[in-house]
């Protein structure tokens, strides 16, 4: 008789309420999806939609992303899901730390939402969106751009910070 379960499918992991995100992602076993949504910061609808899209195109969501619906419960095969999560589900946009002021923010690296950046610098979202719209290659020149996937304006701090510093210091 052939084996029904793979080694990483045998154990149902429960009682992990105090586990860190990394400990959950490093686990070998099966979780109920509802139990990992909050610790991993997932949008249940978005993840389930991706699984259904894989199935609709003839793929196998259990093999590709480690998610399947059994009876009325979504379950996660963490050895597969963790790599899918790291590649596709981690937000590329960082949050602005509430303790940062504008100077602290300008020292950071990565992408931030424009509205969050404008809460720390003396410019409005409207002003920076206008600059982005009127600059030919705004993403590479000033670091402000509209992300088509997220449908929102983002700021690439490594480009934006030098531009804003130069702008601020050159005006009198």
């Amino acid at each position: 008789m052939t084996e029904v379960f793979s080694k990483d499918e045998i154990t149902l992991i429960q009682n992990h309420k105090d586990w860190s995100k990394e400990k959950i992602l490093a686990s070998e076993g099966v979780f109920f999806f509802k139990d990992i949504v909050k610790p991993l910061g997932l949008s249940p609808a978005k993840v389930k939609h991706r699984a259904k899209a894989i199935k609709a195109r003839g793929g196998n969501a259990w093999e590709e992303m480690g998610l399947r619906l059994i009876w009325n419960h979504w379950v996660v095969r963490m050895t597969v899901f963790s790599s899918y999560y790291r590649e596709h589900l981690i937000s590329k946009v960082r949050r602005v730390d509430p303790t940062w002021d504008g100077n602290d923010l300008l020292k950071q690296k990565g992408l931030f939402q424009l509205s969050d950046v404008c809460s720390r610098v003396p410019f409005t979202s409207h002003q920076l969106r206008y600059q982005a719209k009127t600059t030919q290659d705004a993403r590479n020149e000033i670091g402000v751009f509209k992300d088509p996937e997220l449908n929102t304006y983002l700021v690439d701090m490594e480009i934006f910070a030098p531009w804003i510093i130069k702008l601020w210091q050159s005006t009198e």
Side-chain angles (χ1 to χ4, degrees), residues 3 12 22 57 60 92 101 105 109 139 145 153 157 163:
E3 292 190 11
L12 177 62
E22 284 309 312
R57 69 167 164 71
N60 183 332
K92 60 185 176 181
D101 64 14
L105 178 59
K109 294 185 181 326
R139 181 175 188 155
F145 62 99
Y153 276 86
M157 198 53 67
W163 175 75

Side-chain angles (χ1 to χ4, degrees), residues 70-81:
I70 297 180
W71 296 313
N72 291 326
H73 299 284
W74 286 90
V75 293
V76 175
R77 180 182 187 187
M78 194 52 69
T79 55
V80 176
F81 187 79

Side-chain angles (χ1 to χ4, degrees), residues 21 24 33 35-44 46-47 81 85 89-91 95:
K21 180 187 293 189
I24 292 170
F33 180 63
D35 294 339
I36 65 163
V37 166
K38 189 173 181 180
L40 297 183
L42 298 169
S43 163
K46 180 179 176 181
V47 176
F81 187 79
Y85 171 83
L89 300 175
I90 293 178
S91 176
R95 293 226 177 262

